Amino acid sequence: EAVATPTPSASGGAGAAGAADMRLTSVMRRKTRGVHDISDNLVNVRLMAAFADRRVYGEALSNFFYIYHAIETEMERACEGKGELKELEELRKIGAFLPELRRSELMREDLEFFLGKDWKPDLASASAAVREYVGYVRHLARTKPVLLIPYAYHNWMAILAGGQMIRKLAIRTMGLDKHTGKGLRTFALGGSRGEEKPTRGEEKPTRGEEKPTRGEEKPT
C-alpha cells in the first residue's frame, strides 16, 4: 500500500533525529533491495546471450512490452477518469507525465525492428510468468488502482537508470545506430515519439558551433 509521509507529532515530529524515512519511494527501495539485486544479476547474465542475437533480444524485449502496456493502459484509463477509476485523484496527477514516460509504443517500434514489421502483440505467446504479472496488474486496476503507482514507478525508473546502460551496451554489441535510434526507442528520453536526446558525454554541438579539431582552434 502507498505509504504516507508522517506528520509531526508531539514527541518531536517526523524530522526528529533517528526517524525512519517513510516516503513511499524510500520504503520501496528498502523493501525490494534484496529482490532487486537478485534480478539484476539474472538480467546481466541473460543480457549477454541476448546481445549475441538480435532476434533473441527482440523476443526478450517483447515480454517487457506486455508488462509496460498493461501498466500504462490502466494508468492512462485512471488519469482520464474512465469507469470505476474516475475518482482516483492521486493517479490523475500523473497524467501530465504519461506522454513522455510511456514506453509501450516505443517498444512496439523496437519489436518491429528486431522481429519484423509483421510483429503483432499476442499475450498468449508470452511466458506464464508474464501472463500472471499482467493479470495481477489488471486485478489491481479493478480492485485498488492506487497500487498501480509502485509498479509504474519501478518500471519507469528502470528505463531512466539501468535502461541507459542497456542502451549503450546494445549500441556497442549489436552495432545499432544511436543517431537514428532504430532498435533503441525503448530507452529514448525525448518524448513519446522516441526522439533521441544525447546522454552525458554524447552532446552534439549546435549548428555553427562545431567543436574545432586539434590544430584548428579558433584564435582568441
Side-chain angles (χ1 to χ4, degrees):
E1 304 235 357
V3 180
T5 303
T7 55
S9 66
S11 60
D21 185 351
M22 295 299 290
R23 290 175 298 179
L24 174 60
T25 52
S26 299
V27 173
M28 286 194 296
R29 281 195 295 270
R30 289 200 301 270
K31 296 292 187 180
T32 62
R33 187 172 293 128
V35 174
H36 187 269
D37 290 343
I38 293 172
S39 65
D40 265 2
N41 291 333
L42 289 173
V43 168
N44 290 338
V45 169
R46 295 181 179 183
L47 265 180
M48 301 317 297
F51 283 146
D53 187 314
R54 289 190 176 191
R55 185 163 190 87
V56 171
Y57 178 83
E59 290 171 350
L61 184 62
S62 70
N63 283 316
F64 290 96
F65 166 83
Y66 298 114
I67 292 170
Y68 277 84
H69 185 265
I71 293 171
E72 292 169 353
T73 298
E74 299 301 342
M75 290 285 291
E76 188 171 46
R77 183 177 295 129
C79 293
E80 292 178 351
K82 294 180 179 178
E84 62 192 279
L85 310 184
K86 184 175 181 180
E87 302 303 321
L88 294 173
E89 187 63 27
E90 296 88 345
L91 286 172
R92 290 208 296 269
K93 291 176 182 176
I94 301 174
F97 300 98
L98 277 172
E100 186 162 359
L101 293 174
R102 191 177 182 92
R103 296 289 109 188
S104 54
E105 290 308 310
L106 302 180
M107 286 183 173
R108 187 191 293 262
E109 292 183 42
D110 284 348
L111 289 168
E112 290 178 356
F113 175 81
F114 289 113
L115 302 179
K117 289 291 184 181
D118 58 345
W119 182 86
K120 295 291 186 294
D122 179 16
L123 181 58
S125 67
S127 68
V130 169
R131 295 197 303 273
E132 183 179 0
Y133 193 121
V134 169
Y136 186 67
V137 168
R138 291 173 176 168
H139 168 74
L140 290 179
R142 292 191 304 270
T143 58
K144 200 159 189 178
V146 72
L147 294 183
L148 292 171
I149 292 176
Y151 288 85
Y153 170 81
H154 277 290
N155 281 279
W156 285 337
M157 287 301 294
I159 295 294
L160 297 174
Q164 299 311 302
M165 178 196 71
I166 293 174
R167 174 182 177 272
K168 291 178 181 179
L169 287 172
I171 291 170
R172 186 163 69 245
T173 60
M174 294 191 288
L176 303 179
D177 189 336
K178 66 182 179 183
H179 300 303
T180 65
K182 291 183 178 179
L184 300 168
R185 299 298 192 206
T186 297
F187 310 109
L189 302 180
S192 59
R193 290 178 297 171
E195 299 94 331
E196 289 293 306
K197 283 185 178 179
T199 56
R200 183 174 297 179
E202 296 180 353
E203 291 83 356
K204 296 181 185 178
T206 57
R207 184 173 296 179
E209 297 179 348
E210 286 79 3
K211 185 177 180 180
T213 57
R214 182 173 296 179
E216 297 180 351
E217 289 80 0
K218 296 179 181 179
T220 57

